Amino acid sequence: MSHSLTDLLDNNRRWAGKIESARPGFFTSLLQQQAPQYLWIGCADSRVPANELVDLAPGELFVHRNVANVVVHSDLNCLSVIQFATDVLKVRHIIVVGHSQCGGVAAALADRRVGLADNWIRHVQDVRNRHSAWLETVPEGERVNALCELNVIEQALNVCQTTIVQDAWQRGQEIIVHGWVYRLHNGLLKDLRMTVSRLDDAGAAYQDALAAVQARYAELARAL
Ligand SMILES: [Zn+2]
């Protein structure tokens, strides 16, 4: 085994020891059940570790990550996570979290070929194409971040449009969908106000969130 992997296992033993001494019985209590309130759908990027960013312990956050935090209606992996989180764990919040300077989003914006992942990133290009006229008005240096935010809003809308979440709302289950973006340069999360707690509100929330992003980048363009 390479030296670096030995380090990881050593780190793990230290981590488990630290948690167990701070909260005796912590791990055995998790054996009984997990009852997270939140489902995090984020990017696979190593700089965006879900639990750490919101300071939640194991057992408190159900997580799905993929390249560029995409929610596709035919992706059984993501849909299964949403279904389990909604129907079995009964999470109260589903949060789609993008991040600034996302490599997947940057590749989508620039039509950069990276390999098989091009086919996945296509979904972000669909977002780019839907908003291409507006993106043209954004200063070039800010376009990746603008598309990162648009992508969050679109993917959060996709969550609302899954049969899983719609059925949950239909039967009166309380579940709120959110869209956030994480800023790599300062470690802060921003709420993009794509907050939806029932299907009828999805369209208006989508329009409001888009308008807020557009206003913010328009202001930025004026300041340059
Ligand atoms: Zn990313």
Side-chain angles (χ1 to χ4, degrees):
M1 190 180 290
S2 77
H3 179 68
S4 61
L5 289 192
T6 309
D7 283 354
L8 292 187
L9 295 174
D10 288 344
N11 288 350
N12 166 253
R13 270 188 291 274
R14 263 196 309 277
W15 171 81
K18 213 162 52 188
I19 292 198
E20 191 60 30
S21 67
R23 295 167 68 177
F26 176 80
F27 291 107
T28 48
S29 72
L30 285 183
L31 287 177
Q32 309 309 317
Q33 63 162 353
Q34 57 163 344
Q37 298 262 311
Y38 318 96
L39 164 60
W40 172 290
I41 301 175
C43 183
D45 192 301
S46 64
R47 297 167 296 182
V48 193
N51 282 64
E52 284 93 327
L53 297 191
V54 284
D55 201 17
L56 286 180
E60 295 183 322
L61 192 65
F62 202 60
V63 175
H64 177 77
R65 291 169 69 178
N66 61 39
V67 172
N69 43 271
V70 172
V71 177
V72 187
H73 298 302
S74 56
D75 174 13
L76 281 179
N77 185 355
C78 184
L79 291 180
S80 300
V81 171
I82 296 175
Q83 191 263 322
F84 190 81
T86 303
D87 295 348
V88 181
L89 298 174
K90 302 218 177 331
V91 298
R92 304 288 292 270
H93 303 272
I94 299 179
I95 316 163
V96 176
V97 188
H99 67 97
S100 61
Q101 301 301 322
C102 179
V105 171
L109 184 66
D111 282 316
R112 196 182 319 128
R113 297 290 306 268
V114 292
L116 178 69
D118 298 341
N119 299 284
W120 180 253
I121 285 167
R122 253 285 161 213
H123 296 294
V124 183
Q125 291 190 319
D126 291 343
V127 176
R128 177 199 65 183
N129 295 345
R130 194 166 310 135
H131 300 280
S132 58
W134 176 72
L135 278 167
E136 288 290 313
T137 69
V138 175
E140 213 176 330
E142 292 298 328
R143 248 173 241 168
V144 171
N145 289 342
L147 183 54
C148 288
E149 297 186 16
L150 293 179
N151 186 48
V152 166
I153 294 166
E154 294 285 350
Q155 305 309 331
L157 183 65
N158 287 347
V159 172
C160 300
Q161 287 169 341
T162 60
T163 54
I164 305 152
V165 172
Q166 295 199 353
D167 287 351
W169 281 333
Q170 191 86 44
R171 60 179 179 258
Q173 187 175 333
E174 194 178 311
I175 189 157
I176 308 173
V177 177
H178 309 261
W180 292 357
V181 68
Y182 174 69
R183 304 271 171 72
L184 285 181
H185 73 279
N186 61 8
L188 295 177
L189 287 159
K190 181 176 176 56
D191 184 350
L192 294 176
R193 294 194 287 173
M194 176 63 191
T195 307
V196 186
S197 54
R198 55 192 200 111
L199 186 58
D200 289 349
D201 295 345
Y206 173 83
Q207 293 302 340
D208 287 353
L210 276 187
V213 168
Q214 291 174 356
R216 198 147 25 80
Y217 281 90
E219 200 175 306
L220 218 135
R222 277 195 297 275
L224 284 177

